[in-house]
Amino acid sequence: MDTRSATNTIAFAFQSMRIEHTFMKKAHLCFDGLRETRRQILNIGLGGYEAKCVTLFADTQSGKTTILKAYLEKNVVDRCYDVGLFSREVPRTLVAALQRVVVRVSVSGTSTLMSLLEDILRAYGDPRPETGNMGSKKHRIFRYMQEFRTELLIFDEMNHLRIGARGLYQSAEATRVHNVLKDFLLGGCPIVFVGTTEAQAKVLSDFQIRARCVKSLFLGPLVYGNTEHRRAFTEYCGMLGINLMRSGLFSERSNFLEDDIVPRLFEAAGGYFGHASNIVELAAHYAKDEGAKRVERCHLSAAADDYSVLNKLATRNPFEEELELADA
């Protein structure tokens, strides 16, 4: 396998990897609960029901995107198969892309209200999202929600919203954005707000939205002294090693649970699942270059040296001291 092929294979394997951990399970259970309530309302046709929202705000590389992708690919697709929306012969990836039961909206950079409405229309597959005035776009969105019996709206990258900027126009725009988001909740459709920690102040600055928020989901940074956090990270590291072999990248299992690799990798990753995956992915490249049968401690150390310090996750390589002792 040439260098370019190996690089593409490793990158694809990590992009496709879905490792379930405690905080992913909690998030998915929360999403399921919101959808179950929404289905009950849709089934009995009860009007005037106000939905709730939850938030998933965490730093970059905490694993937010993976949680959303895993939910759409597993929970949502399973539901589509079970109720007959799609034949089980249709590939899961295609069902996830075509279904509108759970709609994930990627909020555009520096989004205004009009561009936000267009983002939602694009998520529904509207052929001409730029067409129409504000009222027309809102009407089409609500029509799609009823037509597809949408159970959950997920607004991703909420940190892109232009809320919190100074100035009379910006303040008025923020109010309009909040009002539209409240309209969805008042219309009975639950929402998951996702974004970096910067998004929290933007979304929850509105009291009425904040009052309807039933849960703020946690995703890091993890604290190694916390038993639940440490257990979740340890299990995650173990599954990373197993998946490197299952994906066919290596012939032997990479054992990241031996010695004190877990606490060192935890420090190198700054307590984030996503950064841990990135370090292991980089280590996999180094191992492949050497023709190794699995990812070893030395590869993790080299990856941490290049990744952790560069991304200011650590001031030193957490593996260096241990490697020096081993060499001695």
Side-chain angles (χ1 to χ4, degrees):
M1 183 181 294
D2 60 40
T3 302
R4 178 180 296 180
S5 178
T7 298
N8 292 339
T9 300
I10 292 172
F12 179 78
F14 274 83
Q15 284 291 321
S16 306
M17 206 174 286
R18 304 287 183 263
I19 299 177
E20 191 176 58
H21 52 76
T22 298
F23 303 103
M24 179 184 287
K25 293 177 183 177
K26 289 182 178 181
H28 289 182
L29 283 173
C30 186
F31 300 166
D32 284 343
L34 292 173
R35 290 175 56 209
E36 177 59 33
T37 301
R38 170 68 168 166
R39 282 197 294 270
Q40 292 174 1
I41 300 304
L42 288 172
N43 289 338
I44 63 177
L46 180 63
Y49 175 81
E50 296 183 12
K52 303 296 183 181
C53 62
V54 301
T55 63
L56 179 57
F57 298 136
D59 292 329
T60 300
Q61 295 302 321
S62 57
K64 300 184 297 294
T65 299
T66 301
I67 283 180
L68 299 182
K69 287 182 177 179
Y71 188 72
L72 291 169
E73 295 166 356
K74 179 66 171 64
N75 300 53
V76 177
V77 171
D78 284 350
R79 174 69 180 178
C80 290
Y81 285 150
D82 291 343
V83 300
L85 286 178
F86 292 88
S87 166
R88 293 186 183 274
E89 296 178 356
V90 180
R92 300 185 73 89
T93 53
L94 187 57
V95 174
L98 294 178
Q99 64 79 33
R100 298 294 182 264
V101 175
V102 174
V103 177
R104 179 187 175 189
V105 180
S106 295
V107 179
S108 303
T110 61
S111 183
T112 61
L113 175 55
M114 287 296 282
S115 64
L116 175 63
L117 295 175
E118 291 168 9
D119 290 336
I120 301 171
L121 289 170
R122 289 190 186 93
Y124 272 106
D126 187 278
R128 301 176 67 185
E130 299 86 2
T131 303
N133 57 27
M134 188 180 303
S136 170
K137 291 176 181 178
K138 285 179 60 178
H139 175 75
R140 279 148 60 197
I141 291 169
F142 277 103
R143 188 184 67 206
Y144 285 137
M145 290 169 62
Q146 291 300 317
E147 176 185 347
F148 292 107
R149 294 176 65 84
T150 299
E151 298 173 358
L152 184 66
L153 290 173
I154 299 176
F155 288 97
D156 197 6
E157 302 289 354
M158 287 297 287
N159 40 290
H160 288 162
L161 282 179
R162 293 178 62 181
I163 294 177
R166 296 179 179 179
L168 185 61
Y169 170 78
Q170 288 82 356
S171 178
E173 182 75 0
T175 299
R176 287 193 289 267
V177 169
H178 280 137
N179 286 340
V180 167
L181 295 175
K182 282 184 289 188
D183 284 344
F184 295 134
L185 294 172
L186 292 172
C189 189
I191 296 175
V192 177
F193 294 113
V194 184
T196 62
T197 50
E198 177 190 353
Q200 183 169 352
K202 294 185 175 185
V203 174
L204 300 183
S205 60
D206 183 90
F207 170 76
Q208 294 188 52
I209 291 179
R210 189 166 67 249
R212 291 175 172 84
C213 181
V214 293
K215 194 172 187 63
S216 295
L217 295 164
F218 175 81
L219 197 53
L222 305 178
V223 177
Y224 197 74
N226 182 297
T227 302
E228 182 184 32
H229 294 191
R230 184 171 62 253
R231 182 185 299 116
F233 189 82
T234 300
E235 292 173 354
Y236 188 82
C237 291
M239 289 306 301
L240 274 173
I242 292 173
N243 276 282
L244 287 174
M245 183 177 67
R246 285 179 176 174
S247 63
L249 293 176
F250 297 93
S251 59
E252 296 181 3
R253 178 174 69 89
S254 301
N255 186 6
F256 300 144
L257 302 183
E258 63 184 358
D259 300 327
D260 59 353
I261 287 180
V262 170
R264 300 302 174 185
L265 184 55
F266 185 95
E267 183 180 344
Y272 289 104
F273 293 112
H275 283 307
S277 290
N278 290 344
I279 292 170
V280 173
E281 180 178 354
L282 185 56
H285 285 288
Y286 296 154
K288 272 293 182 184
D289 290 343
E290 290 184 2
K293 294 182 178 180
R294 65 175 189 168
V295 175
E296 302 279 3
R297 184 193 187 93
C298 59
H299 305 126
L300 292 172
S301 178
D305 201 37
D306 289 340
Y307 185 90
S308 301
V309 177
L310 175 65
N311 287 280
K312 299 181 179 179
L313 297 169
T315 56
R316 61 177 182 83
N317 185 344
F319 288 92
E320 279 187 352
E321 181 179 347
E322 301 301 323
L323 284 175
E324 290 172 359
L325 290 173
D327 291 340

